[in-house]
PDB file of all heavy atoms in Angstrom:
ATOM      1  N   GLN A  36      81.611  32.445 145.899  1.00  0.00           N
ATOM      2  CA  GLN A  36      80.451  31.998 145.124  1.00  0.00           C
ATOM      3  C   GLN A  36      80.766  31.933 143.637  1.00  0.00           C
ATOM      4  O   GLN A  36      80.307  31.035 142.933  1.00  0.00           O
ATOM      5  CB  GLN A  36      79.261  32.923 145.377  1.00  0.00           C
ATOM      6  CG  GLN A  36      78.695  32.802 146.765  1.00  0.00           C
ATOM      7  CD  GLN A  36      77.523  33.745 146.995  1.00  0.00           C
ATOM      8  OE1 GLN A  36      77.267  34.649 146.200  1.00  0.00           O
ATOM      9  NE2 GLN A  36      76.819  33.530 148.088  1.00  0.00           N
ATOM     10  N   ALA A  37      81.548  32.890 143.158  1.00  0.00           N
ATOM     11  CA  ALA A  37      81.929  32.895 141.741  1.00  0.00           C
ATOM     12  C   ALA A  37      82.773  31.667 141.408  1.00  0.00           C
ATOM     13  O   ALA A  37      82.562  31.012 140.380  1.00  0.00           O
ATOM     14  CB  ALA A  37      82.688  34.173 141.409  1.00  0.00           C
ATOM     15  N   GLU A  38      83.718  31.338 142.267  1.00  0.00           N
ATOM     16  CA  GLU A  38      84.541  30.159 142.044  1.00  0.00           C
ATOM     17  C   GLU A  38      83.709  28.889 142.086  1.00  0.00           C
ATOM     18  O   GLU A  38      83.924  27.975 141.295  1.00  0.00           O
ATOM     19  CB  GLU A  38      85.685  30.105 143.065  1.00  0.00           C
ATOM     20  CG  GLU A  38      86.738  31.158 142.801  1.00  0.00           C
ATOM     21  CD  GLU A  38      87.896  31.072 143.776  1.00  0.00           C
ATOM     22  OE1 GLU A  38      88.114  29.990 144.376  1.00  0.00           O
ATOM     23  OE2 GLU A  38      88.606  32.076 143.929  1.00  0.00           O
ATOM     24  N   TRP A  39      82.726  28.834 142.974  1.00  0.00           N
ATOM     25  CA  TRP A  39      81.832  27.675 143.041  1.00  0.00           C
ATOM     26  C   TRP A  39      81.048  27.537 141.733  1.00  0.00           C
ATOM     27  O   TRP A  39      80.947  26.457 141.165  1.00  0.00           O
ATOM     28  CB  TRP A  39      80.867  27.818 144.219  1.00  0.00           C
ATOM     29  CG  TRP A  39      79.847  26.725 144.235  1.00  0.00           C
ATOM     30  CD1 TRP A  39      79.995  25.476 144.749  1.00  0.00           C
ATOM     31  CD2 TRP A  39      78.535  26.772 143.696  1.00  0.00           C
ATOM     32  NE1 TRP A  39      78.847  24.737 144.553  1.00  0.00           N
ATOM     33  CE2 TRP A  39      77.932  25.514 143.906  1.00  0.00           C
ATOM     34  CE3 TRP A  39      77.796  27.760 143.037  1.00  0.00           C
ATOM     35  CZ2 TRP A  39      76.637  25.219 143.498  1.00  0.00           C
ATOM     36  CZ3 TRP A  39      76.510  27.461 142.630  1.00  0.00           C
ATOM     37  CH2 TRP A  39      75.957  26.204 142.860  1.00  0.00           C
ATOM     38  N   GLU A  40      80.496  28.651 141.236  1.00  0.00           N
ATOM     39  CA  GLU A  40      79.723  28.624 139.992  1.00  0.00           C
ATOM     40  C   GLU A  40      80.582  28.142 138.827  1.00  0.00           C
ATOM     41  O   GLU A  40      80.165  27.294 138.037  1.00  0.00           O
ATOM     42  CB  GLU A  40      79.165  30.010 139.682  1.00  0.00           C
ATOM     43  CG  GLU A  40      78.405  30.041 138.368  1.00  0.00           C
ATOM     44  CD  GLU A  40      78.023  31.431 137.920  1.00  0.00           C
ATOM     45  OE1 GLU A  40      78.697  32.411 138.300  1.00  0.00           O
ATOM     46  OE2 GLU A  40      77.046  31.534 137.163  1.00  0.00           O
ATOM     47  N   ILE A  41      81.788  28.656 138.714  1.00  0.00           N
ATOM     48  CA  ILE A  41      82.679  28.268 137.622  1.00  0.00           C
ATOM     49  C   ILE A  41      83.060  26.788 137.739  1.00  0.00           C
ATOM     50  O   ILE A  41      83.114  26.075 136.736  1.00  0.00           O
ATOM     51  CB  ILE A  41      83.933  29.176 137.617  1.00  0.00           C
ATOM     52  CG1 ILE A  41      83.523  30.579 137.172  1.00  0.00           C
ATOM     53  CG2 ILE A  41      85.009  28.615 136.700  1.00  0.00           C
ATOM     54  CD1 ILE A  41      84.619  31.608 137.328  1.00  0.00           C
ATOM     55  N   THR A  42      83.304  26.326 138.939  1.00  0.00           N
ATOM     56  CA  THR A  42      83.645  24.915 139.144  1.00  0.00           C
ATOM     57  C   THR A  42      82.495  24.012 138.702  1.00  0.00           C
ATOM     58  O   THR A  42      82.715  22.994 138.041  1.00  0.00           O
ATOM     59  CB  THR A  42      84.004  24.662 140.619  1.00  0.00           C
ATOM     60  OG1 THR A  42      85.107  25.500 140.968  1.00  0.00           O
ATOM     61  CG2 THR A  42      84.382  23.207 140.846  1.00  0.00           C
ATOM     62  N   VAL A  43      81.273  24.381 139.036  1.00  0.00           N
ATOM     63  CA  VAL A  43      80.111  23.600 138.618  1.00  0.00           C
ATOM     64  C   VAL A  43      79.988  23.598 137.088  1.00  0.00           C
ATOM     65  O   VAL A  43      79.759  22.556 136.475  1.00  0.00           O
ATOM     66  CB  VAL A  43      78.813  24.133 139.282  1.00  0.00           C
ATOM     67  CG1 VAL A  43      77.583  23.498 138.655  1.00  0.00           C
ATOM     68  CG2 VAL A  43      78.847  23.879 140.779  1.00  0.00           C
ATOM     69  N   LEU A  44      80.155  24.752 136.466  1.00  0.00           N
ATOM     70  CA  LEU A  44      80.096  24.832 135.005  1.00  0.00           C
ATOM     71  C   LEU A  44      81.164  23.952 134.372  1.00  0.00           C
ATOM     72  O   LEU A  44      80.916  23.255 133.382  1.00  0.00           O
ATOM     73  CB  LEU A  44      80.264  26.281 134.540  1.00  0.00           C
ATOM     74  CG  LEU A  44      79.131  27.232 134.878  1.00  0.00           C
ATOM     75  CD1 LEU A  44      79.532  28.671 134.538  1.00  0.00           C
ATOM     76  CD2 LEU A  44      77.856  26.840 134.155  1.00  0.00           C
ATOM     77  N   PHE A  45      82.359  23.957 134.934  1.00  0.00           N
ATOM     78  CA  PHE A  45      83.448  23.135 134.418  1.00  0.00           C
ATOM     79  C   PHE A  45      83.119  21.649 134.535  1.00  0.00           C
ATOM     80  O   PHE A  45      83.317  20.877 133.598  1.00  0.00           O
ATOM     81  CB  PHE A  45      84.744  23.443 135.165  1.00  0.00           C
ATOM     82  CG  PHE A  45      85.838  22.451 134.888  1.00  0.00           C
ATOM     83  CD1 PHE A  45      86.474  22.436 133.664  1.00  0.00           C
ATOM     84  CD2 PHE A  45      86.214  21.534 135.846  1.00  0.00           C
ATOM     85  CE1 PHE A  45      87.473  21.506 133.401  1.00  0.00           C
ATOM     86  CE2 PHE A  45      87.210  20.612 135.597  1.00  0.00           C
ATOM     87  CZ  PHE A  45      87.839  20.603 134.374  1.00  0.00           C
ATOM     88  N   GLN A  46      82.599  21.245 135.677  1.00  0.00           N
ATOM     89  CA  GLN A  46      82.290  19.832 135.892  1.00  0.00           C
ATOM     90  C   GLN A  46      81.194  19.346 134.960  1.00  0.00           C
ATOM     91  O   GLN A  46      81.171  18.174 134.580  1.00  0.00           O
ATOM     92  CB  GLN A  46      81.882  19.600 137.346  1.00  0.00           C
ATOM     93  CG  GLN A  46      83.037  19.777 138.298  1.00  0.00           C
ATOM     94  CD  GLN A  46      82.609  19.757 139.760  1.00  0.00           C
ATOM     95  OE1 GLN A  46      81.426  19.876 140.077  1.00  0.00           O
ATOM     96  NE2 GLN A  46      83.573  19.630 140.646  1.00  0.00           N
ATOM     97  N   ARG A  47      80.306  20.212 134.549  1.00  0.00           N
ATOM     98  CA  ARG A  47      79.194  19.831 133.673  1.00  0.00           C
ATOM     99  C   ARG A  47      79.577  19.809 132.189  1.00  0.00           C
ATOM    100  O   ARG A  47      78.870  19.188 131.406  1.00  0.00           O
ATOM    101  CB  ARG A  47      78.028  20.800 133.857  1.00  0.00           C
ATOM    102  CG  ARG A  47      77.347  20.645 135.169  1.00  0.00           C
ATOM    103  CD  ARG A  47      76.206  21.617 135.271  1.00  0.00           C
ATOM    104  NE  ARG A  47      75.530  21.473 136.554  1.00  0.00           N
ATOM    105  CZ  ARG A  47      74.607  22.306 136.990  1.00  0.00           C
ATOM    106  NH1 ARG A  47      74.241  23.329 136.259  1.00  0.00           N
ATOM    107  NH2 ARG A  47      74.040  22.105 138.159  1.00  0.00           N
ATOM    108  N   HIS A  48      80.627  20.506 131.803  1.00  0.00           N
ATOM    109  CA  HIS A  48      80.911  20.601 130.373  1.00  0.00           C
ATOM    110  C   HIS A  48      81.577  19.333 129.851  1.00  0.00           C
ATOM    111  O   HIS A  48      82.220  18.601 130.579  1.00  0.00           O
ATOM    112  CB  HIS A  48      81.732  21.857 130.058  1.00  0.00           C
ATOM    113  CG  HIS A  48      83.202  21.655 129.891  1.00  0.00           C
ATOM    114  ND1 HIS A  48      84.059  21.516 130.950  1.00  0.00           N
ATOM    115  CD2 HIS A  48      83.960  21.570 128.781  1.00  0.00           C
ATOM    116  CE1 HIS A  48      85.282  21.354 130.485  1.00  0.00           C
ATOM    117  NE2 HIS A  48      85.257  21.372 129.187  1.00  0.00           N
ATOM    118  N   LYS A  49      81.351  19.071 128.583  1.00  0.00           N
ATOM    119  CA  LYS A  49      81.960  17.930 127.910  1.00  0.00           C
ATOM    120  C   LYS A  49      82.955  18.499 126.908  1.00  0.00           C
ATOM    121  O   LYS A  49      82.577  19.233 126.001  1.00  0.00           O
ATOM    122  CB  LYS A  49      80.898  17.104 127.203  1.00  0.00           C
ATOM    123  CG  LYS A  49      79.866  16.544 128.159  1.00  0.00           C
ATOM    124  CD  LYS A  49      78.984  15.539 127.466  1.00  0.00           C
ATOM    125  CE  LYS A  49      77.834  15.099 128.324  1.00  0.00           C
ATOM    126  NZ  LYS A  49      78.130  14.470 129.557  1.00  0.00           N
ATOM    127  N   CYS A  50      84.211  18.159 127.085  1.00  0.00           N
ATOM    128  CA  CYS A  50      85.225  18.743 126.220  1.00  0.00           C
ATOM    129  C   CYS A  50      85.919  17.672 125.397  1.00  0.00           C
ATOM    130  O   CYS A  50      85.828  16.480 125.692  1.00  0.00           O
ATOM    131  CB  CYS A  50      86.248  19.518 127.042  1.00  0.00           C
ATOM    132  SG  CYS A  50      87.278  18.495 128.099  1.00  0.00           S
ATOM    133  N   LYS A  51      86.588  18.146 124.387  1.00  0.00           N
ATOM    134  CA  LYS A  51      87.429  17.275 123.576  1.00  0.00           C
ATOM    135  C   LYS A  51      88.864  17.668 123.892  1.00  0.00           C
ATOM    136  O   LYS A  51      89.194  18.841 123.955  1.00  0.00           O
ATOM    137  CB  LYS A  51      87.149  17.492 122.091  1.00  0.00           C
ATOM    138  CG  LYS A  51      85.754  17.081 121.687  1.00  0.00           C
ATOM    139  CD  LYS A  51      85.547  17.317 120.219  1.00  0.00           C
ATOM    140  CE  LYS A  51      84.130  16.943 119.833  1.00  0.00           C
ATOM    141  NZ  LYS A  51      83.848  17.221 118.433  1.00  0.00           N
ATOM    142  N   ALA A  52      89.703  16.695 124.057  1.00  0.00           N
ATOM    143  CA  ALA A  52      91.115  16.968 124.344  1.00  0.00           C
ATOM    144  C   ALA A  52      91.726  17.680 123.146  1.00  0.00           C
ATOM    145  O   ALA A  52      91.296  17.515 122.005  1.00  0.00           O
ATOM    146  CB  ALA A  52      91.863  15.676 124.633  1.00  0.00           C
ATOM    147  N   LEU A  53      92.738  18.469 123.388  1.00  0.00           N
ATOM    148  CA  LEU A  53      93.398  19.199 122.309  1.00  0.00           C
ATOM    149  C   LEU A  53      93.904  18.262 121.222  1.00  0.00           C
ATOM    150  O   LEU A  53      93.896  18.608 120.054  1.00  0.00           O
ATOM    151  CB  LEU A  53      94.554  20.036 122.867  1.00  0.00           C
ATOM    152  CG  LEU A  53      94.139  21.236 123.702  1.00  0.00           C
ATOM    153  CD1 LEU A  53      95.378  21.912 124.287  1.00  0.00           C
ATOM    154  CD2 LEU A  53      93.353  22.223 122.872  1.00  0.00           C
ATOM    155  N   THR A  54      94.299  17.071 121.593  1.00  0.00           N
ATOM    156  CA  THR A  54      94.781  16.137 120.583  1.00  0.00           C
ATOM    157  C   THR A  54      93.654  15.719 119.645  1.00  0.00           C
ATOM    158  O   THR A  54      93.880  15.497 118.468  1.00  0.00           O
ATOM    159  CB  THR A  54      95.385  14.879 121.238  1.00  0.00           C
ATOM    160  OG1 THR A  54      94.421  14.297 122.114  1.00  0.00           O
ATOM    161  CG2 THR A  54      96.639  15.217 122.014  1.00  0.00           C
TER     162      THR A  54
END
Side-chain angles (χ1 to χ4, degrees):
Q36 291 179 348
E38 288 182 22
W39 174 83
E40 178 189 25
I41 290 171
T42 301
V43 169
L44 292 172
F45 168 72
Q46 291 171 346
R47 289 181 180 171
H48 99 281
K49 299 190 188 300
C50 68
K51 295 180 182 177
L53 289 175
T54 55

